[in-house]
Amino acid sequence: MNCSNLQYLCGIIGGLCGIPTRLYRSNELVFLHSTVDLPADPITLHIDEIFKIQEHVGYFVTPDFFYYGVINHKNYKLVIGPARQVYDDKTLTDLAFRLDVPPEQTKKFISSMKSVICMPLESILQVMIAMNFVLNTERLG
């Protein structure tokens, strides 16, 4: 599948799930679909761990229980996240601090993060399994 079609797929999945979706080619960001405008991208704190995932389908859970789903297809990596089951002000304030969000933008960051759809990891995995089937023609359970 070419880059344009992968971007289309990311946009569809990101819009359907309400969770930021990114496409990387050789670990370089080539596309981002997000229904929220974040002053800082939380993925930057864990990008090295996410890039280490080499299986067709994988995921990474942060110490704060945010999770990212990963699908590898040729030299592309589709990443869905961050997602979480519940968003609370304290965790989001701490996250904003670690991301060096300016104090005057912290409220916007928290509000935007709370707009990301809450979804259990199991649901993210189901989306990733479906995307993996489309991309890698591999059936996973």
Side-chain angles (χ1 to χ4, degrees):
M1 191 174 284
N2 67 30
C3 188
S4 176
N5 288 339
L6 290 170
Q7 290 176 13
Y8 173 76
L9 184 60
C10 284
I12 295 292
I13 296 301
L16 178 66
C17 295
I19 298 171
T21 306
R22 298 164 190 80
L23 177 64
Y24 295 88
R25 181 177 39 224
S26 303
N27 294 345
E28 293 293 325
L29 183 67
V30 294
F31 182 77
L32 166 65
H33 178 274
S34 183
T35 58
V36 299
D37 180 28
L38 295 169
D41 193 345
I43 200 171
T44 59
L45 297 174
H46 305 286
I47 197 69
D48 292 337
E49 292 95 336
I50 291 167
F51 283 161
K52 288 178 185 174
I53 298 170
Q54 297 301 314
E55 299 82 13
H56 280 167
V57 176
Y59 64 92
F60 176 76
V61 180
T62 72
D64 294 324
F65 302 104
F66 289 95
Y67 35 85
Y68 294 87
V70 177
I71 297 147
N72 287 294
H73 172 69
K74 300 181 181 175
N75 64 332
Y76 290 98
K77 188 177 295 285
L78 286 76
V79 181
I80 303 169
R84 200 170 195 242
Q85 284 190 290
V86 177
Y87 298 103
D88 63 271
D89 286 352
K90 181 183 180 337
T91 301
L92 294 175
T93 301
D94 291 346
L95 180 59
F97 178 77
R98 288 195 316 269
L99 287 166
D100 293 324
V101 174
E104 64 274 7
Q105 292 187 334
T106 298
K107 187 174 180 178
K108 178 184 190 293
F109 177 82
I110 291 170
S111 174
S112 294
M113 283 296 295
K114 285 184 171 182
S115 296
V116 173
I117 301 297
C118 294
M119 188 177 288
L121 178 58
E122 294 79 15
S123 297
I124 295 286
L125 290 173
Q126 289 296 318
V127 170
M128 293 174 12
I129 287 170
M131 290 176 64
N132 182 63
F133 180 71
V134 169
L135 296 174
N136 297 313
T137 62
E138 177 182 41
R139 293 182 183 204
L140 299 174

